[in-house]
Amino acid sequence: MAAISFSSLHASATPRLFRPHVSRNTPGLTLYSRFTPSFSSPSLSFTLPHTARSLRPRPFLITSAVKTLTETELLPITEADSIPSDSGVYAVYDKNDELQFVGISRNIAASVSTHLKSVPELCSSVKVGLVEEPDKSVLTQAWKSWIEEHIKVTGKVPPGNKSGNNTFVKQTPRKKSDIRLTPGRHVELTVPLEELIDRLVKESKVVAFIKGSRSAPLCGFSQRVVGILESQGIDYETVDVLDDEFNHGLREKLKSYSNWPTFPQVFVKGELLGGCDILTSMYENGELGNMLK
């Protein structure tokens, strides 16, 4: 997509659209993000099962006093009934009894089962330390003690716990930030807002003007639109029409620009496609997918 170049966007700032991080697909768009990253760590694994797992009685004593990594018994992963579905810390070993990953989970059996499906060649046996209460701080402390013990003995961090290694814990990709059309409501623009809208929709393949951000839509229709666009696996832009600081006056200006009274509004290849109802109908009959190819 060609870069959006503004010769005179406002009086006291460099002309441009604003985004905190520049997308590779939109090199000329610079924006600020309202996205707040959630807590994550490549070495922490919380897996919640869809259904409760019922297992046969097992010879485990649930206790908050987790044994050391060395003292804990190594169990074959193939013996599914021996792996508890309780909260605790666990260590996964390969067929050579080499430690690959230390994780914590509120359901150890479910977590180990997930690893076994995704990387079976690295999952041969496991050590398990149970905690009585699934408190995050207690779980983290148990995990930390096992990690530190392994490092002290081997001088190495388990491969699956190294920074950037997503073999055992898949990192959720960060969602693209929303476009802000101006640098702030108190900055005087020398280019009309309607022209900024026009340039954006014509120089972007897909633009969705929604209520809220793509990471946190503020109405059911906007949430539905974001969900449909995400399902298509395409690159698209979002603009929060409720952001009165950086998109001041956008709602009324967009209504006159598109001659469409409600939100969200979706533009494809410079033309108004419609709102949530039209997008949903086109999605359900397959027409949307063909249009976005």
Side-chain angles (χ1 to χ4, degrees), residues 164-184:
N165 187 321
N166 298 329
T167 302
F168 285 87
V169 179
K170 304 301 181 183
Q171 299 298 308
T172 303
R174 179 170 178 169
K175 289 190 175 182
K176 191 175 183 179
S177 53
D178 308 285
I179 284 181
R180 289 173 171 177
L181 289 174
T182 78

Side-chain angles (χ1 to χ4, degrees), residues 274-285:
C276 181
D277 290 344
I278 293 176
L279 192 74
T280 299
S281 177
M282 293 180 67
Y283 167 70
E284 291 176 346
N285 63 28

Side-chain angles (χ1 to χ4, degrees), residues 130-277:
L130 304 182
V131 296
E132 191 172 38
E133 298 179 2
D135 180 79
K136 184 177 179 179
S137 62
V138 176
L139 290 170
T140 302
Q141 184 57 46
W143 168 83
K144 183 179 178 182
S145 67
W146 278 20
I147 286 285
E148 290 178 343
E149 180 183 345
H150 180 73
I151 294 175
K152 184 176 181 180
V153 174
T154 66
K156 300 178 182 179
V157 175
N161 293 105
K162 290 182 179 179
S163 178
N165 187 321
N166 298 329
T167 302
F168 285 87
V169 179
K170 304 301 181 183
Q171 299 298 308
T172 303
R174 179 170 178 169
K175 289 190 175 182
K176 191 175 183 179
S177 53
D178 308 285
I179 284 181
R180 289 173 171 177
L181 289 174
T182 78
R185 65 181 299 173
H186 300 297
V187 178
E188 183 179 354
L189 300 177
T190 56
V191 174
L193 182 58
E194 185 169 348
E195 185 174 336
L196 299 182
I197 297 171
D198 187 62
R199 292 186 185 186
L200 174 61
V201 300
K202 289 181 178 178
E203 297 185 20
S204 303
K205 182 177 180 179
V206 180
V207 182
F209 293 89
I210 63 176
K211 293 182 178 181
S213 66
R214 74 169 68 201
S215 59
L218 296 180
C219 78
F221 297 118
S222 295
Q223 185 175 31
R224 175 65 172 163
V225 164
V226 170
I228 291 175
L229 293 177
E230 286 289 333
S231 73
Q232 299 303 297
I234 62 168
D235 180 58
Y236 67 98
E237 306 295 343
T238 52
V239 185
D240 181 4
V241 299
L242 299 181
D243 185 351
D244 201 43
E245 175 60 31
F246 294 97
N247 296 323
H248 180 62
L250 175 60
R251 278 173 289 177
E252 294 307 314
K253 188 63 66 176
L254 187 59
K255 288 178 183 179
S256 62
Y257 173 83
S258 64
N259 195 27
W260 193 270
T262 59
F263 301 100
Q265 294 184 19
V266 180
F267 289 78
V268 176
K269 299 176 183 178
E271 300 293 335
L272 175 66
L273 184 65
C276 181
D277 290 344

